[in-house]
Amino acid sequence: MPSDISPRWKEKTTEFFSSSGVKIKEAGHSAGTFVEEVTKDAKVNVADVAERVGSMFKSRWALLQQPATRHAVQERLIVAAATTGTFFRKGLSETKEKVSVGKIKVEEVAKKTAQKSKTILSDIERWQKGVASTDVFGVPIEVTVQRQQSSRPIPQILVRCADYLISSGLNTPYLFKGEGDKKVIQQLVSLYNQDSNASLPEGVSPIDVASLVKCYLATLPEPLTTFELYNEIKGARSSIRAMRNMLRRLPTVNYTTLEFVTALLLRVSQKSVLNKMNIQSLAMEMAPVIIWQKGRTPDLYRKYWNQPSKGPSRKNLDPEPTYSAWDMLSDEGDDVDDSIPLDDGVPMDLGAIEVVQCLMEHHNAIFTDANETIWR
């Protein structure tokens, strides 16, 4: 069918497509130009960045290659290394110091522990033996004299006490009869157990010193007259010659100490007008701590001496009857008992009193071969 489109519309259509083609070509050309420019700019930017990085690297490398810069870097490295070394050495030193301090503390603790162990072992030894290595109370008299290494075979504690009483205490009323201060006497016992050559403290009471003498004699494991010669010495009390011969059988230390003690008592009795203690009174007070029978120790005076307990036993749980310092002893095996009961029921051994009284009254005649003790 023939077209009914007018020529005018054909013309308009042709113009439209023609102008559209031109515009499309222009747009394509513009787009190509824009992409080309962008690409160029990108290339330029990349090249510029690369050039800048390269330039910076070159400048830094050139800077590092300069002697001054190299020297500065080396110095910084050396300083850093030195600082690190200092810190390391300081840390090591502090560690060593801490280890040293710790070692010292460990050593101190070890020493203290060892000392405590030594003390404990010493206490155990004392507990087992009943005495310590430095004690004078409760120790055999010959052991005490041997320890002090003196040319005079008399315990130094007795010498100290006697010298003090002769110079300061002879006029004290009831010397060797008064009980004394228990606390003071215990302190004196502790003092001489630590140092047998110690001097008596200034201002100590003569009564306390006299009680210390009695305490020492009472705590001897065996009396000065010995257990073996107990009956023989009592039997010789009526004869000076028999007594003299009997006492010569005593060990040297016992004999010399017995002479020393009875000489002191004799000197005290010579001041009886002032101290109210004559020979008879002194004999009654001192006999219990000079002569006693085995198994009848003068326990009254042991209250001043804290002898370690040897542990519980059936014997300790059911103890045998004990006798005080006032208990005077009868002869073993004798049918005749010469003890005189006192009002308080405590027996007194008249024979023992007469022995001590004899030793004072006839001192020089009995101890003829001894170095007689003389005080001015």
Side-chain angles (χ1 to χ4, degrees), residues 202-329:
E202 293 183 6
V204 64
S205 168
I207 296 294
D208 293 336
V209 176
S211 295
L212 184 66
V213 172
K214 294 167 76 174
C215 180
Y216 172 76
L217 295 175
T219 57
L220 290 174
E222 193 170 358
L224 292 179
T225 54
T226 71
F227 293 134
E228 181 184 358
L229 298 179
Y230 170 78
N231 289 324
E232 286 83 349
I233 290 176
K234 281 184 65 176
R237 65 184 182 273
S238 59
S239 169
I240 295 175
R241 180 180 177 183
M243 181 65 73
R244 181 169 58 240
N245 293 334
M246 189 58 59
L247 294 183
R248 287 175 180 172
R249 294 172 56 185
L250 290 172
T252 301
V253 174
N254 294 59
Y255 181 86
T256 307
T257 303
L258 183 61
E259 185 276 326
F260 182 83
V261 171
T262 51
L264 172 62
L265 298 176
L266 177 61
R267 186 74 179 88
V268 172
S269 69
Q270 292 170 355
K271 294 284 187 176
S272 60
V273 174
L274 297 173
N275 59 40
K276 300 177 176 59
M277 296 298 292
N278 56 24
I279 287 179
Q280 291 78 15
S281 299
L282 289 167
M284 290 179 63
E285 295 296 328
M286 296 301 295
V289 298
I290 291 177
I291 177 171
W292 71 82
Q293 199 171 10
K294 190 172 184 179
R296 295 187 174 183
T297 56
D299 290 329
L300 177 64
Y301 295 98
R302 289 175 178 258
K303 66 184 177 181
Y304 302 115
W305 173 56
N306 296 323
Q307 184 182 21
S309 170
K310 296 186 179 181
S313 65
R314 178 173 295 275
K315 185 175 180 181
N316 289 338
L317 293 175
D318 300 312
E320 297 179 357
T322 56
Y323 296 83
S324 71
W326 298 100
D327 293 342
M328 295 303 174
L329 315 170

